[in-house]
């Protein structure tokens, strides 16, 4: 009889095969924050460096759909993961989520669901205001977090920190349809 006490052996093997260092970019969406006052961005940068990850970019943009899309697509060129904070609420200025959702090719609904579950423990019913979202945009993982330092810490420690390498491994493991792979001439080409 087999005991079901933990992750399956294949899941464990995948975690062990996951890269220790991932290429990650950070985007802060805010009309008021600067590099000196961006505590959420600074926290993510510090945690990424401490975890041995390669930070490929960091930007702050206004809560403007065109600026957010431009920054995300630029950061996605060099990163396996892009983490944004800010612009996820329900006010008229909060436009990060529609922009991120328009880029996603494979949404990961579990990310937002788990984030709200963790947030509920901390802030109660106010967690329903979070529209945090994650998923795959082509070959890059995108995660949009609320802008508060507490929310970013919750997402990092509760979800992303221990899964970042595994997530990157899963994205690259079999490639992504319609995304040229290294050494490949692209869909239908010789590689």
């Amino acid at each position: 009889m087999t005991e079901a006490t933990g992750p399956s052996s294949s899941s464990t093997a995948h975690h062990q095969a996951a890269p220790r260092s991932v290429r990650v970019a950070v985007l802060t969406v805010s009309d008021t924050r600067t590099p000196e006052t961006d505590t959420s961005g600074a926290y993510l940068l510090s945690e990424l460096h401490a975890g041995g990850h390669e930070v490929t970019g960091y930007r702050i943009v206004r809560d403007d759909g065109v600026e957010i899309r431009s920054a995300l697509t630029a950061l996605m060129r060099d990163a396996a993961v892009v983490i944004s904070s800010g612009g996820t609420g329900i006010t008229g200025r909060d436009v990060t989520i529609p922009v991120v959702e328009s880029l996603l090719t494979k949404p990961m609904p579990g990310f937002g669901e788990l984030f709200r579950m963790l947030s509920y423990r901390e802030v109660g019913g106010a967690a329903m205001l979070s529209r945090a979202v994650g998923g795959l945009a082509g070959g890059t993982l995108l995660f949009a977090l609320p802008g508060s330092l507490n929310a970013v810490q919750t997402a990092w420690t509760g979800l992303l920190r221990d899964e970042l390498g595994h997530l990157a491994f899963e994205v690259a493991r079999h490639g992504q349809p319609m995304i040229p792979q290294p050494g490949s001439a692209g869909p239908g080409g010789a590689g």
Side-chain angles (χ1 to χ4, degrees), residues 130-157:
S130 169
R131 296 188 299 150
V133 67
L136 191 60
T140 304
L141 288 156
L142 292 182
F143 296 99
L145 313 176
S148 77
L149 177 58
N150 185 55
V152 169
Q153 290 170 330
T154 297
W156 178 254
T157 60

Side-chain angles (χ1 to χ4, degrees), residues 42-63:
Y43 172 80
L44 283 171
L45 294 170
S46 173
E47 290 295 310
L48 289 164
H49 286 299
H53 300 290
E54 178 187 348
V55 176
T56 60
Y58 165 66
R59 292 187 57 189
I60 299 175
V61 297
R62 290 181 308 124
D63 213 330

Side-chain angles (χ1 to χ4, degrees), residues 72-125:
L72 285 172
T73 55
L75 292 170
M76 288 168 53
R77 288 187 196 111
D78 296 319
V81 178
V82 177
I83 304 171
S84 74
S85 67
T88 64
I90 60 171
T91 73
R93 292 288 298 154
D94 293 323
V95 297
T96 302
I97 297 304
V99 172
V100 169
E101 287 177 337
S102 75
L103 294 170
L104 295 181
T105 52
K106 290 185 179 179
M108 290 176 27
F111 175 78
E113 294 163 359
L114 287 171
F115 175 78
R116 283 180 283 281
M117 180 194 74
L118 293 172
S119 295
Y120 180 77
R121 295 178 187 165
E122 298 175 10
V123 299

